[in-house]
Amino acid sequence: FHSGEREEKCIIEDVPSDTLVIGNYKVQRWDIHRQEFFESAPGLGMFVTVTTPSADVLLSKLYGPQGTFSFTSYLSGEHIICLQSNSTRFVAFAGSKLRIHLDIRVGEHFLDESVLQAKDKVNEVNLRLEHLIEQIHHVAKEQNYEREREEKFRKTSEETNSNILWWAIVQTLILISIGIWQIKSLRDFFISKKLV
């Protein structure tokens, strides 16, 4: 995505609890003379801030023009990941465009490459099996989180439908009572004028 030099861009990521999130990014600065983006932006860094659903700051750190950040969520819900350059230019002069390449992986678990290159095949198979079991646990945790979200959404929908039904019943009762009152008032008026 593109961003202004002093502009903060935020991404919302829905993450289950106890889940590792890894983000890789790379920043490129726009060159006005060549009309293209530099391959890198030396001297330019990025502030990365991660906020939990309860508005607690989970991560706030300055990185270089290219880097990797990671955090483990302790709450399930929408985490806000914000990126802003550390440009020291005044806002009026910081008109340069930035291109930010961002890759966010949720629930990634990496195998240790040094262990994978071990000579002992039994250890390698055992390590891969442990990695698969860990991934299965992550998938199960993700499914439970989605099930909880769906249950909460269904409960909210049912409450809304119930409120709409009661509001319709109240409106109908009000209309019927106003109609009866108008008919009674009109009949009393006609009787008092001796038209009936």
Side-chain angles (χ1 to χ4, degrees), residues 132-181:
L132 287 174
I133 290 171
E134 190 175 317
Q135 284 181 330
I136 288 170
H137 288 302
H138 175 70
V139 168
K141 189 187 324 174
E142 186 82 29
Q143 285 177 335
N144 287 336
Y145 174 64
E146 292 299 326
R147 190 176 299 117
E148 289 171 9
R149 285 187 62 211
E150 190 273 332
E151 186 176 311
K152 183 178 175 184
F153 178 74
R154 186 177 24 136
K155 183 178 177 184
T156 304
S157 297
E158 288 172 357
E159 287 175 0
T160 303
N161 287 340
S162 174
N163 290 341
I164 289 172
L165 175 68
W166 282 112
W167 178 244
I169 290 171
V170 168
Q171 280 183 324
T172 304
L173 291 176
I174 291 172
L175 286 174
I176 289 172
S177 61
I178 289 174
I180 292 171
W181 176 76

Side-chain angles (χ1 to χ4, degrees), residues 35-107:
Q35 294 294 309
E36 64 182 357
F37 285 97
F38 284 124
E39 194 52 40
S40 66
L44 190 65
M46 293 299 281
F47 283 111
V48 178
T49 307
V50 178
T51 309
T52 64
S54 62
D56 295 332
V57 176
L58 193 60
L59 172 73
S60 181
K61 191 172 178 184
L62 175 64
Y63 293 91
Q66 182 172 334
T68 300
F69 61 91
S70 64
F71 64 92
T72 302
S73 63
Y74 64 90
L75 283 177
S76 59
E78 294 181 343
H79 288 67
I80 301 171
I81 302 169
C82 296
L83 301 168
Q84 182 180 17
S85 72
N86 68 339
S87 175
T88 56
R89 294 202 264 179
F90 290 111
V91 175
F93 301 110
S96 182
K97 285 193 298 187
L98 300 175
R99 177 185 286 168
I100 302 170
H101 302 271
L102 179 63
D103 178 32
I104 296 177
R105 293 185 307 272
V106 178

Side-chain angles (χ1 to χ4, degrees), residues 7 12 21 23 27 39 41 55 58 91 120 122 131 147 152 166 179:
E7 184 179 5
I12 297 174
V21 178
V27 180
E39 194 52 40
L58 193 60
V91 175
D120 189 11
V122 175
H131 180 70
R147 190 176 299 117
K152 183 178 175 184
W166 282 112

